[in-house]
Amino acid sequence: MRSTRPRPRHARAGSPLGAALGALVLAATAAFAVHGSATAQPAPLDWIKNGDFRYPLALGWDCRGEFVQTGQTVEGRPSGTDYAGCTQTVPVVPGTRYQFSAYMSGPYTFVTISGTGTDTGEVTLWDSGPTMKSLATTLLIGDSRQVTVTFHGWYGQAPYQVSRVQMIGPIYPSECEFPTPTPGVPAPTSTKPCMPRPTTPPTGPGVPTPTPTGL
């Protein structure tokens, strides 16, 4: 007596299974054609050197005034003639966004990014209180290729504290969305503001390579 083994099923082009598989292949091909490889754009990283203050301030920051480092927190001590500030120049990719954040406490504490190349030009996180707070915002970059990060207190005020300053990106813009044309109605240029799609991050002499640690 011959044993009967089940025969493998083959999906025919005209069968529902074959049609479903064909649709999946076409969708994947179209997505790849529109958006390109998933690795075509660099992953967001923290571009601020020594922003977690694991190392001495001189590594990454240019400071003026009196400072004390305790663990991974910096305490600035303003005087009547200076506000105890530190700055750092950071490379950026035009037409992208970054997540900008910092922990801070003390009277009139400021963490600022300037030179964004947008209408506002400057974005500031600030607080005035005794408890350490986490503040964050989204930073839009216009046509600039570098920004200046600064943290400081205010003249004649008590000491302030800053910890974990981060600028994570670049976050690339979404594709522009164009609506379906309506006969007799002028087509808008887009349903939302669209920035030029950048190609590669800035490179060249003096441009540091970012790392996830902030150093």
Side-chain angles (χ1 to χ4, degrees):
M1 181 176 177
R2 295 171 63 184
S3 62
T4 8
R5 291 181 297 176
R7 294 182 180 180
R9 298 175 60 190
H10 297 280
R12 298 192 305 273
S15 69
L17 179 58
L21 290 174
L24 285 175
V25 171
L26 287 174
T29 304
F32 185 87
V34 173
H35 300 289
S37 169
T39 58
Q41 297 173 354
L45 296 172
D46 185 7
W47 285 75
I48 297 181
K49 296 179 67 176
N50 196 21
D52 53 10
F53 306 118
R54 292 187 303 151
Y55 301 92
L57 272 176
L59 185 55
W61 298 95
D62 181 18
C63 300
R64 298 289 184 274
E66 183 181 353
F67 297 90
V68 174
Q69 253 181 288
T70 305
Q72 291 178 234
T73 300
V74 171
E75 180 175 282
R77 299 178 174 179
S79 68
T81 57
D82 74 76
Y83 53 33
C86 296
T87 63
Q88 179 179 147
T89 301
V90 181
V92 290
V93 180
T96 62
R97 288 179 168 84
Y98 292 76
Q99 293 298 321
F100 174 39
S101 62
Y103 285 79
M104 62 185 71
S105 66
Y108 300 101
T109 308
F110 301 85
V111 183
T112 299
I113 288 184
S114 58
T116 61
T118 61
D119 290 339
T120 56
E122 184 174 285
V123 176
T124 300
L125 303 174
W126 78 278
D127 189 54
S128 184
T131 306
M132 186 73 80
K133 291 182 181 178
S134 173
L135 301 177
T137 190
T138 299
L139 183 70
L140 174 63
I141 303 298
D143 57 0
S144 179
R145 287 193 170 271
Q146 67 177 29
V147 294
T148 300
V149 183
T150 306
F151 64 86
H152 62 85
W154 199 249
Y155 299 96
Q157 300 296 318
Y160 69 90
Q161 295 78 37
V162 172
S163 178
R164 209 186 315 175
V165 181
Q166 292 184 313
M167 197 183 79
I168 297 176
I171 302 166
Y172 288 80
S174 301
E175 295 288 351
C176 297
E177 296 175 357
F178 293 90
T180 304
T182 304
V185 178
T189 55
S190 174
T191 57
K192 63 181 180 181
C194 295
M195 295 179 293
R197 175 167 289 277
T199 52
T200 56
T203 57
V207 176
T209 301
T211 67
T213 61
L215 175 61

